[in-house]
Amino acid sequence: MKKPLYSFLFFSLLIVAASCKNQSKPEPVADTSGTMPQNPFITHMYTADPSARVWEDGWLYVYASHDMAPARGYDFMDKYHVFSTDDMIYWVDHGQILEAKDVPWGGVLPNGGTFMWVPDCAYKEGKYYFYFPHPSGPEWNNSWKIGIAVSDEPASGFVCLDHWLPGLPDDGEIDPCIFVDNDGQAYFYYGGGGTCYGARLKDSMIGIDGELQRMEGLEDFHEAAWVHKREGIYYLSYSDNHDENRNDGVAGDNRMRYAISDHPLGPWEHKGIYMEYTNSYTNHGSIVEYKGQWYAFYYNSALSEANGEFSDWLRSVCVDKLYYNEDGTIQLVEQTR
């Protein structure tokens, strides 16, 4: 009698486990059924500014801005979505987590435009902190602030605080990046218009701890700061000011550069370019390790081009493998389609 009972319990547990596994993985929006996703890997909407993070649940999450069709310019980017994967093949759209109307202190342009540019997300002690730039008044170019939304979940339930990140000067605060070191200390970076700044974050994650520092040693910095760490080396990657007309007549701009340091706040040593320009006028990137492989996330305008509505304001996120040389320098990323 015992053997059939054990067998029944065993197979019952298998059924429950299989059911739980199926329930834990929502319906994917991208099924490329290959060793790497197609690029762009999100094709049902326009997305840009991918900030990729790996959380304790073992999934990789991409926090992205949203270009609105028809193209009207960067001032009409109004929403943030979150996408996730556990195999770099199937991607789940968790939906919208924040938009301009959710920002209690936010401003709107006279033409109705709203700015929701490059975001990032950090995790600490059971909370997810979503950072984003947004104007606080109609004079958008000089009223940028860094907003914060907080949630208990990585892809839902974010509630915007009624104030922006304190401790920053009023000089155009865009492109936030959060780096949490091995000792748990969090660092905050931002920058646009040619200058990058960094500082320690308070334990609360909603305030600057100490003095804001200019990141020294960067060459041709434009914007899009991103910091990661590998084998004890800190890497600060960013977009440069490159601008030229290519042979095909399409304007190319930002290349992705990087610098290294033995400290999260520098000084930095510029090491070169790790990604050439795309067919979009701008580019922003993030670098992350997932299941033993490093990846470079970025965007191009290939989807809008394929849809017959090519625009620098209709962009789509992409990802390709990233490799390091033995001396720690980064090889040039091969952009795939």
Side-chain angles (χ1 to χ4, degrees):
M1 292 296 293
K2 290 184 178 180
K3 186 174 182 180
L5 179 59
Y6 290 154
S7 298
F8 173 77
L9 291 174
F10 175 73
F11 285 110
S12 296
L13 288 172
L14 285 180
I15 292 172
V16 172
S19 176
C20 291
K21 183 178 181 181
N22 290 335
Q23 291 177 9
S24 67
K25 191 168 185 176
E27 188 69 22
V29 296
D31 174 6
T32 57
S33 300
T35 57
M36 276 293 291
Q38 64 183 9
N39 274 324
F41 63 87
I42 300 298
T43 58
H44 70 290
M45 62 186 294
Y46 291 115
T47 52
D49 309 319
S51 292
R53 296 295 183 187
V54 179
W55 302 133
E56 292 181 347
D57 61 3
W59 286 59
L60 184 149
Y61 291 82
V62 172
Y63 299 82
S65 60
H66 178 26
D67 282 347
M68 311 294 285
R72 297 178 63 185
Y74 298 130
D75 53 337
F76 284 90
M77 297 170 63
D78 190 41
K79 298 169 175 63
Y80 294 115
H81 274 241
V82 182
F83 307 92
S84 71
T85 182
D86 68 346
D87 57 14
M88 298 300 293
I89 300 172
Y90 300 93
W91 290 85
V92 176
D93 182 355
H94 295 271
Q96 178 181 308
I97 63 167
L98 196 72
E99 62 178 300
K101 70 179 182 61
D102 300 325
V103 184
W105 47 264
V108 178
L109 299 187
N111 66 355
T114 54
F115 289 79
M116 301 296 271
W117 285 2
V118 184
D120 195 13
C121 192
Y123 172 83
K124 186 172 184 179
E125 298 177 354
K127 297 288 185 181
Y128 295 87
Y129 298 85
F130 183 74
Y131 300 81
F132 61 93
H134 188 64
S136 58
E139 299 292 333
W140 69 272
N141 199 38
N142 57 13
S143 69
W144 285 102
K145 308 296 182 185
I146 301 299
I148 309 171
V150 184
S151 176
D152 295 328
E153 302 294 334
S156 64
F158 284 93
V159 177
C160 188
L161 301 184
D162 61 4
H163 60 86
W164 52 76
L165 181 68
L168 301 178
D170 296 328
D171 61 352
E173 303 158 9
I174 64 171
D175 298 0
C177 170
I178 310 300
F179 169 72
V180 181
D181 211 343
N182 301 100
D183 60 2
Q185 176 63 55
Y187 295 85
F188 172 80
Y189 307 84
Y190 80 97
T195 305
C196 179
Y197 295 95
R200 292 163 55 103
L201 274 179
K202 292 182 177 179
D203 291 340
S204 65
M205 301 293 285
I206 56 174
I208 299 300
D209 182 13
E211 183 180 355
L212 194 68
Q213 302 178 38
R214 179 169 179 164
M215 298 295 95
E216 301 292 348
L218 307 181
E219 181 176 312
D220 199 24
F221 176 87
H222 178 57
E223 57 189 9
W226 180 268
V227 174
H228 73 280
K229 186 179 182 181
R230 175 184 178 271
E231 297 183 356
I233 300 175
Y234 298 90
Y235 293 78
L236 195 161
S237 52
Y238 58 95
S239 62
D240 68 11
N241 294 286
H242 176 257
D243 188 6
E244 69 175 20
N245 290 319
R246 301 187 309 214
N247 293 331
D248 61 5
V250 179
D253 197 324
N254 301 154
R255 299 169 299 191
M256 302 304 297
R257 294 178 179 264
Y258 75 101
I260 64 172
S261 178
D262 59 3
H263 189 276
L265 294 177
W268 301 91
E269 178 186 357
H270 176 256
K271 302 303 288 188
I273 297 167
Y274 77 89
M275 181 180 292
E276 290 289 352
Y277 48 74
T278 71
N279 69 335
S280 181
Y281 191 66
T282 59
N283 197 4
H284 288 66
S286 57
I287 297 174
V288 68
E289 183 183 22
Y290 188 53
K291 296 185 177 181
Q293 174 66 57
W294 286 90
Y295 295 95
F297 286 81
Y298 61 103
Y299 62 72
N300 61 28
S301 294
L303 181 61
S304 63
E305 183 178 38
N307 290 342
E309 52 182 352
F310 175 81
S311 173
D312 290 314
W313 297 285
L314 295 176
R315 300 159 295 176
S316 298
V317 294
C318 301
V319 60
D320 279 303
K321 293 180 179 179
L322 180 141
Y323 297 97
Y324 295 84
N325 297 310
E326 291 185 4
D327 62 358
T329 55
I330 301 177
Q331 298 180 14
L332 192 67
V333 173
E334 179 184 354
Q335 299 177 37
T336 63
R337 294 286 184 95

